[in-house]
Amino acid sequence: MLTFFNLFFRKNFYDGWDNVISLFTPNLMMDFALIICTALCIPGVTIFKESQWYLYIWIFMLLLAFCIFGIISIAWAYIAAETADYGTVEFKDFFKKLKTSIPDGIKYGLTLLIVMIFSIYNIKYYFFPANKEQAVTFAGLLAGSVYVWLSITILMALAWLPAIKAKMNNNYLKCLKKCFLVFLDNLFPSIVISIYELFLGLISIIMMGSAPGLAGIGLSRANAFRLILKKYDYIEELDKKSEPSNSPLRRKVPWKDLLAEDLEINPPRTFKEFWMPWKSTED
């Protein structure tokens, strides 16, 4: 497992650094969409402040923001998967994928929105009762805690969806099911990768979403899923050989052997190779 994480962090950083210009396109698109949606909420409050119409404007903008997020996430996942496979991606490829990603992107965005609304409502209900005189009971705290962890689990599982969709190209419901199967079958890597992507998210806030941003996080998930698929290819080979379920070969995945080629392609780089890669080529 140590070999897995060693290669994942190294390769993801290399891919992000080598394709940093490509990351700006989806990131800036997402930033622009958020700015527009937020800006349209302000005149909505000013014009309809005497009525409830501004709430409808807020709801519409929230739906729009999540749908745009879903579409960009799915479209970029195809580019990220190609990048993770050492492929060459052109600038126009992302815009081609945007059109075909609209249906699944909207579904993904709405799924995330529903989960978040459900989570916020239940957490608020149990931790912050509407009646201020009503004390928060132990049962309420326990139920609220369950909803917190349930929400975190669902969101961590859903984070796999764009990468799975891009790599497997199944329909949305099938990808949704595989999200939870991959998450539960790779619980520890999923938690570590989610914490890593949370760190990327914090850096993105400092960088105003320009980098690593949505694209950097999507590339991270694509790299992780590509490496995890090697485990399933290994298990499939064992099934063909009719290896018993209690076989030592099944109990421990030989990550060092499975990732040998990737480790050779991604050796540690020197400072000079980062800033002047042509120098290492000349040497």
Side-chain angles (χ1 to χ4, degrees):
M1 199 80 252
L2 188 62
T3 304
F4 173 90
F5 286 120
N6 181 28
L7 177 62
F8 166 71
F9 289 121
R10 185 195 306 173
K11 184 178 185 303
N12 195 62
F13 182 73
Y14 291 174
D15 286 349
W17 181 268
D18 295 340
N19 299 276
V20 67
I21 302 300
S22 301
L23 301 182
F24 285 122
T25 304
N27 288 343
L28 292 177
M29 286 179 67
M30 193 64 235
D31 286 349
F32 182 73
L34 288 175
I35 291 170
I36 294 297
C37 290
T38 304
L40 290 176
C41 287
I42 297 171
V45 175
T46 306
I47 297 169
F48 301 106
K49 63 181 178 180
E50 301 298 332
S51 65
Q52 296 296 315
W53 275 97
Y54 74 91
L55 290 175
Y56 298 117
I57 295 174
W58 282 13
I59 292 170
F60 177 75
M61 289 304 154
L62 189 64
L63 286 168
L64 183 61
F66 269 84
C67 288
I68 292 173
F69 172 83
I71 293 168
I72 294 176
S73 296
I74 298 293
W76 173 252
Y78 286 96
I79 308 303
E82 188 69 26
T83 302
D85 283 337
Y86 307 104
T88 303
V89 181
E90 295 184 9
F91 185 75
K92 61 183 179 180
D93 294 337
F94 172 67
F95 292 97
K96 288 180 180 178
K97 289 298 180 183
L98 275 176
K99 294 180 181 179
T100 57
S101 301
I102 290 174
D104 288 326
I106 292 174
K107 293 173 188 174
Y108 183 52
L110 293 178
T111 302
L112 291 173
L113 181 59
I114 290 168
V115 171
M116 291 190 70
I117 290 174
F118 175 80
S119 304
I120 292 169
Y121 174 80
N122 284 287
I123 291 168
K124 183 180 177 183
Y125 177 81
Y126 287 106
F127 286 109
F128 307 99
N131 186 357
K132 294 182 180 179
E133 296 179 358
Q134 182 182 351
V136 179
T137 62
F138 175 76
L141 287 173
L142 184 62
S145 300
V146 170
Y147 276 113
V148 168
W149 288 109
L150 180 63
S151 301
I152 292 172
T153 300
I154 293 172
L155 289 172
M156 283 198 296
L158 288 174
W160 285 109
L161 194 142
I164 291 173
K165 176 65 182 173
K167 199 72 177 175
M168 312 300 290
N169 209 23
N170 298 129
N171 63 58
Y172 183 76
L173 289 177
K174 203 166 186 179
C175 289
L176 198 60
K177 180 182 176 182
K178 285 184 178 180
C179 281
F180 292 92
L181 293 175
V182 170
F183 172 73
L184 294 173
D185 193 41
N186 302 275
L187 189 58
F188 180 63
S190 294
I191 292 171
V192 173
I193 292 163
S194 295
I195 294 171
Y196 170 67
E197 289 173 353
L198 182 63
F199 172 70
L200 294 181
L202 293 174
I203 296 176
S204 302
I205 294 172
I206 298 171
M207 300 290 290
M208 302 295 290
S210 59
L214 174 64
I217 293 171
L219 180 60
S220 163
R221 194 62 60 158
N223 268 313
F225 188 60
R226 178 184 176 276
L227 298 181
I228 284 173
L229 280 178
K230 290 183 178 290
K231 180 183 80 170
Y232 293 115
D233 291 339
Y234 169 73
I235 293 172
E236 188 178 346
E237 287 298 320
L238 293 181
D239 290 337
K240 290 179 181 178
K241 296 176 182 176
S242 301
E243 285 286 341
S245 58
N246 60 347
S247 169
L249 294 174
R250 288 185 181 273
R251 287 201 298 268
K252 188 175 181 180
V253 179
W255 284 112
K256 189 170 288 187
D257 295 333
L258 296 180
L259 304 179
E261 185 179 352
D262 288 280
L263 288 168
E264 187 177 347
I265 297 172
N266 297 276
R269 296 183 185 180
T270 63
F271 184 79
K272 183 177 75 172
E273 288 172 327
F274 273 114
W275 293 99
M276 296 178 288
W278 61 88
K279 288 286 185 180
S280 60
T281 306
E282 291 174 359
D283 296 340

